Structures are given as C-alpha cells and as structure tokens.
Amino acid sequence: MTKLEDYIVLMKGGITTSLCDALIGEYGECDLWEKSGITNQKILDESIRKVEEIAISTDIVISKNPRKRQELDRYIYATVGNAIDLYRKKFPDVCAEQDTGYNLLKYKESYHYKEHVDSNAGGGLYREISCSIILNSDYDGGEFAFFDGEKIYALEKGDILMFPSNFMYPHAILPVTKGERISIVTWFR
C-alpha cells in the first residue's frame, strides 16, 4: 500500500557539486537578492516567510552576465529534466513536464518558511510537482518538515527533493540556526 510519504522523493546527489559551486559562485554575493514574499503579490510577512531570492531564469537577471548565466540555466534545465523523468518513471500518472523557471533562495540564520502548500501560485498557475535543490551543506537547521513535522528531511549539498504540490503535502522550512542555506526551487505543471 502506497503512503503519502512515498510520493516525497529524495534524490541524493541529484545535482553535481560542480554545478552547485558554480551557481553559488555566480550569484552568492551579487546585488540581486530581494526579500521574498508570499504569493505572486509578494506580500511580505516575515513571521510566515523570511527568505531572500533571485529569479535566476528571468531575462533581466540573465542579461547581467548572459554567457555564464545562460549556460548555468541550461545545466539546471537538464538536471531538473532528469529529475522529473525519474519521478514520472516511479509515478507514471504524473503528467507534469514543464518547469516554471528557477528561483534561487537564501535562508540566513533565523530565516524560515512556515507550513504551507505550493499548489496555487496565483494568476491561474497551478503546480503539480514541487522541486527543491540544495546547493550547500555548510549550515545547520533549515530542514524540510512535512505534515506538522512528522516527516523531516535534512538535505545535503546536491540533493533534490520532489513531492506533489497539492494540499496533501503541507511543508515548512525550519529556521536556519547557523550559516546560510542556499537552494533552488521550481515547480512542474
């Protein structure tokens, strides 16, 4: 019998460490980081979500260093393409194919995201599968917590976590207690 947690798939080493390092090298210290809000309206409420982000697939971000950033975008695209293919092999009823672009997230000490679901991004955009890619391991805290903390994932550099975006998968990012947690998120539809 399949359980809800079976649809949460951890792909250890799903992204190469060299790609993780290249992404952090390109974006880690740049001046494009912005406080991230909730929903497409970018509502800022740091009691719910406290994180900084860069929408690294947007033309304005890529135009700042097009050669390097287009190359990184292509590598991410290939990596998440492989990940969704593996997910669909495991769960053939998943139809999702197209990702929504990539957001680079930085969780500093005390940064977090309270329990939420990813299903509706607003504007008629419904997500089917959520994908999170961890780019570093030099931090403490920042675990993924599902189902009111009943299932917790401490991810490491290069790990990819995928799960359904619907209301059945409430999840949180627990507060970072030391260092900075850097990740990429995307959703498939």
Side-chain angles (χ1 to χ4, degrees), residues 45-59:
D45 184 342
E46 292 185 348
S47 68
I48 296 172
R49 185 179 194 205
K50 188 173 185 183
V51 64
E52 296 174 10
E53 77 177 323
I54 304 173
I56 62 174
S57 293
T58 60
D59 290 340

Side-chain angles (χ1 to χ4, degrees), residues 17 39-40 43 50 54 71 79-80 115 150 161 173 189:
T17 58
T39 73
N40 280 354
I43 299 165
K50 188 173 185 183
I54 304 173
E71 177 184 38
T79 298
V80 300
E115 190 166 85
E150 289 181 22
L161 189 69
I173 303 298
R189 49 187 173 176

